[in-house]
Amino acid sequence: MNIDTPAIVCALRTHAEHGAVVRLMTPKDGLQAAYVRGARGRRMRPVLVPGNLVQARLRSRTEEQLAHAEVELEHSRAPLITEPLPAAAIDWVTALTAAALPEGQPYPRLYDALDALLALIEAAPSALGWSSLLVRYELLLLAELGFGLDLETCAVTGSNDGLVAVSPGSGRAVSAAEAEPYAGKLLILPRFVREGGPASWEDIRDGLVLSGHFLSRDILTGRVSGLGEARSRLVGRILRAGGI
């Protein structure tokens, strides 16, 4: 392996006395794990903060060998550590990315979406400015891993008009007329999920419930089930920020 690439720091696990295994999300090579010598030292600790954008040089003699990496800071989001809600959001999306994705598989759409989400978390004055993109990132991750929702047409009629709900079982959209008899049993489909555009706090709540249901069912299982608690805490903070 010989990779020189921009990357987003997603996770860090201490290894040996001074080093750490770092998981980096890259544009062309997906999630990459590498050993960074001196990662716990004074110089490298501020560089290897989840959410930071870095330039990484990864080297290994064989594909099976853990790569060694040299990492240089390109853009730091470490100042957001002191802001509880943005910090929690960054911790969640980077941890989700590191835990859910297989290593070495390219996901360029996810890299671009993660980069855009982190930039918006950093720039937006409140969670209302980035929470809709968080929902869309979670849904994109589900889709990229083969668990995408079918939100194009109604599961019953095949029409693409008036889609307002999603079946929690099939993940397919349902139109207003067909959803009415099942009120309370279907998940709400906020308009911004299909069409983009602005979202209210109520839309954000419904979007987080929608993506959270399928994340819990299809991704946050087994060894990563504990991540669900971190997401629940983040969702609670987002909704309290919106007065919900």
Side-chain angles (χ1 to χ4, degrees):
M1 178 191 294
N2 191 331
I3 300 174
D4 193 339
T5 180
I8 297 167
V9 179
C10 287
L12 185 75
R13 187 183 77 245
T14 58
H15 184 81
E17 186 175 355
H18 301 292
V21 175
V22 181
R23 280 179 164 75
L24 305 167
M25 185 61 176
T26 70
K28 297 181 180 179
D29 298 285
L31 190 68
Q32 294 287 334
Y35 177 78
V36 178
R37 185 177 288 107
R40 300 167 67 185
R42 182 179 299 177
R43 185 179 71 86
M44 291 303 300
R45 278 202 308 269
V47 175
L48 299 175
V49 173
N52 279 1
L53 182 64
V54 300
Q55 187 69 24
R57 289 172 291 279
L58 293 83
R59 306 287 184 267
S60 66
R61 294 181 179 178
T62 67
E63 291 185 1
E64 293 76 21
Q65 183 185 36
L66 178 66
H68 281 64
E70 297 177 1
V71 179
E72 295 179 2
L73 182 65
E74 293 290 326
H75 179 73
S76 175
R77 296 189 172 98
L80 292 176
I81 291 174
T82 60
E83 301 183 32
L85 187 48
I90 291 173
D91 285 347
W92 160 245
V93 295
T94 53
L96 173 65
T97 302
L101 297 185
E103 291 179 6
Q105 300 296 316
Y107 293 100
R109 293 176 64 204
L110 274 177
Y111 176 87
D112 290 342
L114 179 60
D115 188 42
L117 174 57
L118 292 170
L120 194 55
I121 291 172
E122 184 177 18
S126 80
L128 186 61
W130 50 259
S131 293
S132 61
L133 190 55
L134 171 63
V135 172
R136 294 173 69 88
Y137 180 76
E138 293 177 339
L139 293 172
L140 176 61
L141 184 140
L142 282 161
E144 292 286 287
L145 292 177
F147 301 107
L149 310 187
D150 182 354
L151 305 179
E152 296 303 313
T153 59
C154 175
V156 180
T157 66
S159 169
N160 61 1
D161 295 330
L163 302 177
V164 300
V166 177
S167 165
S170 69
R172 297 194 62 187
V174 183
S175 65
E178 301 299 332
E180 188 173 356
Y182 303 97
K185 296 182 179 180
L186 300 176
L187 300 166
I188 296 173
L189 174 59
R191 178 173 294 182
F192 80 87
V193 169
R194 291 190 70 239
E195 303 175 9
S200 67
W201 285 111
E202 289 74 17
D203 293 332
I204 298 299
R205 175 198 59 205
D206 295 337
L208 288 167
V209 170
L210 176 65
S211 59
H213 171 81
F214 293 100
L215 281 173
S216 295
R217 190 188 73 177
D218 299 322
I219 303 295
L220 303 180
T221 60
R223 64 181 179 82
V224 298
S225 59
L227 283 179
E229 297 178 5
R231 186 183 188 275
S232 295
R233 290 193 295 271
L234 171 62
V235 170
R237 287 179 173 181
I238 291 173
L239 298 184
R240 286 194 296 274
I244 297 177

